[in-house]
Amino acid sequence: MKLSGLRGRGGAGFSCGLKWSFVDRRSGKPIYLICNADESEPGTFKDRQIIHKDPHQLIEGMIISCFANDVKLAYIYIRGEMPKGAKLLNAALKEARAKNFLGKNILGSGYDLEIHVHRGAGAYICGEETGLIESLEGKRPYPRIKPPYFPAVLGLYMCPTIVNNVETLCNVKHIVTMGGAEFAKLGTPNNTGTRIVSLSGQVKRPGYYEIEVGKATIGQLINDPAFGGGLLEGRKLKAVIPGGSSSKVLKAGEKFKLKRKVEGKDVEVETDMLDLPYDFDSLLQAGTMSGSSAIIVLDDTVDVVDVLANLSEFYAHESCGQCTPCREGSLWMSKTLHRLTHGEGRKGDADYLVKIADNIPGGKTICAFGEACSWPVQSFVAKFKDDFVAKGTADEEARPP
Amino acid sequence: MSFTVPANLEAEIDELITHYPVKRSASLMLLHALQEHFGHISTEATVWIAKKLGLQPINVHELVTFYPMFRQQPAGKYVIKVCRTLSCALGGSHKLHEHFCTKLGLDPHAHGLQTTKDGKFSVEFVECLAGCGTAPVMMCNEDFHEGVSHAKADEILGKCK
Ligand SMILES: Cc1cc2nc3c(=O)[nH]c(=O)nc-3n(C[C@H](O)[C@H](O)[C@H](O)COP(=O)(O)O)c2cc1C
Ligand code: SF4
Ligand code: FES
């Protein structure tokens, strides 16, 4: 797995082989594996497709992953709003059991494994791995603080646990078939394999597209006839949310200095946001992330204040409420954006939003949701400040003194 | 009012509990099973699950109040969930929600789940349903519908008997 270079497809892009190597194998406790099929990051719709179109690919990937990690009991945590997906998975598991790919003494190997489907119930925070574990224990999905609750050591029932995304586990099947070194030839160095990109928003051909990681640029994904097919007639690009709603927005025309190797030497190349290779590292260098690999395209007909208000309402609704900065901050940001989009804005709202957003992340919260809810606000207001100030000013001037 | 869980459903529930080394883990699955059968989670249902899993009723009640999919009041026979989040909003989901509300005599600006007087339909906004590429999307009970134009919305309503 390490040789394959596979990085998690759920959001953080962490090395899968490394994650597995952290699992405490000496504790004497059972090891669990959980497939994260909670897919709720706005913009993302790839796991649903895998589950609906090829559930056996996932199950095969899980069986191999469980065998490799000596797991005897595994779960697929699927979001509650995918009842059909849960039924499909149950049917596929039944087929696998009938063929003795699951159950006792699998194909005479002496290895036992059972996989069950567990349904969530409509809370985004269940996608966060420790929240997911709490939820699977039958509790409210309040994320656990790390340290000490790293799933690899103190996960499900305080036992070592692996949590991987649906797409990550599907890749395992191909890595074992092809060999790690061969898999690593797909994609680009440190960004190996293929990835399903969810493309939505204002493009001609929204949809899900599998690419070799880093072999297509954001611009190609939006404009190439094989992918997005370009913007709608007569529209101009305004911005791109590159890796799910939590990732920092890229403004049309923004330029970044990308580190590249040219003839063995490190050089910095000025790169337009559209020419960023769609991979983990290039987007990190551009100050954002490829996250859950979901691109949302915004053209010049949208009002970025409306866009941010929509996203902030999502975060205000989904904060689990354990940490004051996140619970209150996400709500204040949403309320401020609500007044800005309802004719009650103030000139100072842009600065006020950034002040709230800046006070949430940086170790003040239990989980990464704190970052996730502040990044859109920080980046939208920084990059489109005039739009926010203009709106607040207009409202203020229209109000009787 | 007496509260009885039919024997076949209870058998299903007993089987679900065997999926977990710790019974409490089955709470969400039991809540789904009972809500699907009774339409909502009553106090009796909460107490029943708690007893079944060896928990205090509060351990179950706190799930009902936290997880958006569970409801304590009955809803319509058909529950329509329209996605509110960004890609669907760009694709016209607010117009779609309004279309359902006006068509069914509900208030498009009211917050939360609303049910028609005859108890046939409920309409609510929900967050991203992982179908953003075919916005706007919605669910009608268990069925997921993509690219829902107003004409398609009428068709969906028409099929609800
Ligand atoms: C707020 C929040 C929501 C998340 N939602 C999801 C999700 O819906 N699906 C997912 O696979 N990972 C999600 N993650 C990432 C998981 O915590 C975890 O990193 C991932 O499942 C690990 O799998 P991977 O290494 O295969 O990517 C979320 C993380 C955070 C902080
Ligand atoms: S950061 Fe937000 S979502 Fe995460 S645990 Fe704290 S309150 Fe909950
Ligand atoms: S935004 Fe509606 S399904 Fe994702």
Side-chain angles (χ1 to χ4, degrees):
Chain A
M1 284 303 292
K2 282 191 179 157
L3 212 58
S4 75
L6 177 67
R7 295 171 70 168
R9 303 305 196 225
F14 193 77
S15 157
C16 186
L18 205 55
K19 180 187 273 190
W20 289 9
S21 73
F22 291 154
V23 170
D24 184 354
R25 289 178 165 73
R26 291 201 201 100
S27 65
K29 299 186 215 168
I31 301 169
Y32 295 104
L33 184 139
I34 308 169
C35 168
N36 188 343
D38 193 56
E39 188 163 69
S40 330
E41 172 83 2
T44 320
F45 49 97
K46 62 190 178 70
D47 297 340
R48 177 197 279 281
Q49 299 303 331
I50 295 175
I51 289 165
H52 276 251
K53 305 232 157 81
D54 196 0
H56 281 294
Q57 180 178 181
L58 172 61
I59 292 170
E60 192 176 340
M62 282 184 75
I63 296 171
I64 299 166
S65 306
C66 289
F67 182 71
N69 289 292
D70 201 19
V71 171
K72 303 273 184 336
L73 184 57
Y75 295 94
I76 303 174
Y77 188 107
I78 186 167
R79 65 178 291 192
E81 298 92 330
M82 294 185 183
K84 289 266 159 76
K87 281 186 184 150
L88 275 167
L89 283 168
N90 272 321
L93 286 169
K94 207 169 152 191
E95 287 168 358
R97 258 175 232 126
K99 297 229 170 197
N100 191 219
F101 296 150
L102 280 175
K104 293 254 177 279
N105 189 20
I106 294 175
L107 303 179
S109 63
Y111 173 61
D112 304 342
L113 170 67
E114 198 41 83
I115 301 178
H116 295 295
V117 175
H118 183 91
R119 292 181 62 204
Y124 169 68
I125 199 60
C126 293
E128 197 281 334
E129 56 188 9
T130 60
L132 185 153
I133 287 171
E134 284 283 305
S135 178
L136 187 49
E137 289 186 0
K139 304 175 192 158
R140 283 188 171 193
Y142 289 146
R144 297 174 177 171
I145 197 155
K146 304 185 216 179
Y149 299 108
F150 292 106
V153 186
L154 297 171
L156 186 62
Y157 312 125
M158 293 301 148
C159 297
T161 303
I162 296 166
V163 183
N164 273 131
N165 173 257
V166 171
E167 193 186 349
T168 313
L169 290 165
C170 287
N171 272 299
V172 173
K173 166 197 151 65
H174 301 289
I175 291 166
V176 168
T177 315
M178 299 166 73
E182 204 55 33
F183 181 90
K185 287 184 192 156
L186 291 170
T188 49
N190 203 36
N191 297 269
T192 58
T194 68
R195 218 175 166 191
I196 304 174
V197 181
S198 311
L199 182 68
S200 71
Q202 295 163 307
V203 278
K204 281 208 183 101
R205 284 167 29 98
Y208 50 97
Y209 301 101
E210 186 170 10
I211 61 164
E212 284 189 49
V213 185
K215 288 273 176 79
T217 62
I218 291 184
Q220 283 166 338
L221 283 164
I222 295 173
N223 293 316
D224 195 291
F227 304 119
L231 302 178
L232 305 178
E233 284 323 319
R235 309 275 181 92
K236 281 206 200 81
L237 185 69
K238 182 141 193 175
V240 173
I241 300 174
S245 62
S246 311
S247 63
K248 291 192 174 179
V249 67
L250 297 171
K251 186 177 179 173
E254 252 189 289
K255 306 266 189 277
F256 301 95
K257 291 229 173 347
L258 280 202
K259 285 202 184 69
R260 285 285 181 72
K261 274 223 184 314
V262 178
E263 289 164 8
K265 267 187 257 159
D266 283 325
V267 289
E268 284 195 341
V269 186
E270 191 174 80
T271 311
D272 185 86
M273 50 84 82
L274 284 177
D275 299 326
L276 290 170
Y278 198 66
D279 63 29
F280 296 98
D281 295 335
S282 303
L283 291 188
L284 277 180
Q285 286 190 47
T288 181
M289 61 175 183
S290 61
S292 57
S293 172
I295 299 179
I296 306 174
V297 181
L298 304 171
D299 70 26
D300 58 348
T301 61
V302 300
D303 181 340
V304 284
V305 186
D306 287 340
V307 168
L308 187 61
N310 181 291
L311 293 181
S312 290
E313 194 176 330
F314 171 81
Y315 290 105
H317 183 249
E318 300 297 338
S319 166
C320 86
Q322 281 192 104
C323 321
T324 312
C326 169
R327 180 186 65 239
E328 301 302 319
S330 60
L331 198 62
W332 287 359
M333 293 192 293
S334 179
K335 282 188 170 167
T336 308
L337 283 154
H338 183 87
R339 74 178 181 220
L340 262 178
T341 45
H342 286 77
E344 291 158 20
R346 298 172 198 173
K347 211 187 289 178
D349 278 348
D351 290 330
Y352 183 55
L353 280 167
V354 174
K355 193 174 148 198
I356 305 169
D358 286 350
N359 268 310
I360 303 171
K364 296 194 203 82
T365 61
I366 292 173
C367 87
F369 183 104
E371 273 79 17
C373 73
S374 51
W375 283 337
V377 174
Q378 290 170 330
S379 59
F380 267 97
V381 180
K383 294 179 185 185
F384 296 95
K385 188 156 182 191
D386 293 351
D387 297 51
F388 287 85
V389 174
K391 206 150 191 171
T393 310
D395 285 356
E396 219 163 81
E397 281 165 6
R399 255 196 308 273
Chain B
M1 245 193 345
S2 71
F3 177 85
T4 29
V5 175
N8 58 343
L9 181 60
E10 184 157 6
E12 232 174 80
I13 283 173
D14 287 333
E15 199 276 328
L16 280 173
I17 297 172
T18 66
H19 294 183
Y20 305 94
V22 177
K23 275 186 179 181
R24 183 175 186 172
S25 280
S27 316
L28 287 187
M29 295 300 274
L30 265 52
L31 282 164
H32 277 302
L34 291 196
Q35 179 160 297
E36 270 157 33
H37 183 78
F38 293 105
H40 70 290
I41 302 294
S42 60
T43 310
E44 289 86 348
T46 301
V47 172
W48 189 88
I49 291 176
K51 202 162 162 221
K52 191 93 201 160
L53 299 177
L55 301 170
Q56 295 299 320
I58 183 65
N59 300 140
V60 179
H61 184 65
E62 67 173 1
L63 305 180
V64 180
T65 55
F66 188 94
Y67 291 90
M69 277 182 79
F70 300 127
R71 49 177 179 260
Q72 292 173 262
Q73 265 77 43
K77 185 171 170 209
Y78 296 96
V79 179
I80 291 167
K81 300 181 183 207
V82 179
C83 171
R84 184 207 68 84
T85 322
L86 185 56
S87 300
C88 286
L90 294 170
S93 64
H94 284 73
K95 287 255 159 60
L96 178 64
H97 178 261
E98 196 179 313
H99 180 74
F100 277 120
C101 289
T102 23
K103 197 117 194 182
L104 298 171
L106 302 169
D107 175 6
H109 303 293
H111 273 277
L113 183 111
Q114 299 181 73
T115 305
T116 54
K117 285 207 185 74
D118 61 2
K120 187 164 173 194
F121 291 102
S122 291
V123 179
E124 68 176 333
F125 260 139
V126 293
E127 299 296 349
C128 179
L129 287 171
C132 333
T134 44
V137 303
M138 57 164 277
M139 293 181 77
C140 179
N141 288 350
E142 291 210 342
D143 294 323
F144 178 62
H145 299 280
E146 304 174 85
V148 186
S149 61
H150 292 194
K152 193 165 171 182
D154 294 343
E155 216 177 283
I156 293 165
L157 285 183
K159 283 194 186 132
C160 296
K161 295 292 175 221

